[in-house]
Every structure is written in C-alpha cells, then in structure tokens.
Amino acid sequence: QVAMWESGGDSVPAGGSLRLSCTTPKERFTNPCMGWFRQSPGKEREGLATLRINTGSTFYVDTIEGRFTMSQDNAGKTLYLQMNSLKAEDTSTYYCARVPGGHCSDPRRAFQFADAWGPGTLVTVSS
C-alpha cells in the first residue's frame, strides 16, 4: 500500500511559484515528523524541510529558507510545500517522506533515516 503520494509538479519559468501536495490514504498523518526532499538522476538526496505533525513547527535548510514554506491542512491529511521565486537549480523530483521524530529538527540529515516516501512529483524550472 502506498504510504503517501505527491502532486503539483509542473514546468514553470524561473521566478514562478508552485505548491506541491502530499496526501495520505489514511485518515490523517499520525507519525511525529514529515518532510520534503528532492533528488535528481545521478545526484544525492537533498533534504529541504521538515514539520512536526503535532505542533506544526517547521525546519528548513538554508538554501531554500525564505523561498519555500511547508505546512499542513487542518485535517492533518495533506501536507504542502509552497515554492516561490523558483530557480533553474530547483529542477528535480520532489518527494514527501516520513522521518523519525528525533531527526525532525535537522532537515539536512533527516532523510537518511526516512522509512517511507511517495513516488515523487517532477518540478521543472526553465531559465
């Protein structure tokens, strides 16, 4: 069974915006921490942001802080990644992932401990 799935990827010009969504087939996300990472072919996984489900606290890596915002809906069933001021180097496949709560405050390293993620959604930014 798919644990979650992403949507919202598209092709946009540099400077544009996109909002990615991550949805669970369950009633709501119940694990302590969720996050977003991206990965391109031949490149390492790059952690972007994490969110504590119970408190809504968010953590970001420096490279996207101020441009990307992670949030969750009131029902706790959908997570979002709002991406503004997109750059060509943001082109990648974006994944939503489940992260152990103890690693939630360190999005740069958290995803090496991720134990589930969706199939991904492709974002292409043209310069």
Side-chain angles (χ1 to χ4, degrees):
Q1 183 181 11
V2 175
M4 64 211 78
W5 63 88
E6 306 87 348
S7 62
D10 204 345
S11 296
V12 296
S17 297
L18 281 175
R19 188 176 77 161
L20 306 183
S21 298
C22 172
T23 304
T24 176
K26 300 179 181 180
E27 183 176 352
R28 61 184 300 120
F29 287 106
T30 57
N31 46 291
C33 179
M34 295 293 296
W36 290 91
F37 70 90
R38 64 189 180 191
Q39 189 166 21
S40 297
K43 294 189 177 181
E44 294 186 354
R45 183 180 297 181
E46 180 184 6
L48 301 173
T50 49
L51 180 146
R52 292 195 188 279
I53 294 296
N54 288 342
T55 65
S57 298
T58 51
F59 307 89
Y60 302 96
V61 297
D62 292 345
T63 52
I64 57 98
E65 192 161 15
R67 296 193 299 126
F68 293 9
T69 303
M70 184 174 180
S71 62
Q72 60 181 332
D73 69 350
N74 290 335
K77 190 173 175 67
T78 303
L79 304 171
Y80 302 102
L81 185 67
Q82 176 67 42
M83 306 189 297
N84 299 326
S85 302
L86 283 163
K87 307 174 183 179
E89 51 263 42
D90 293 320
T91 295
S92 190
T93 300
Y94 286 70
Y95 300 86
C96 175
R98 189 170 64 200
V99 175
H103 299 283
C104 203
S105 60
D106 187 0
R108 186 174 302 279
R109 298 180 178 84
F111 296 93
Q112 61 183 298
F113 304 102
D115 61 0
W117 50 90
T121 188
L122 178 62
V123 172
T124 303
V125 184
S126 57
S127 57

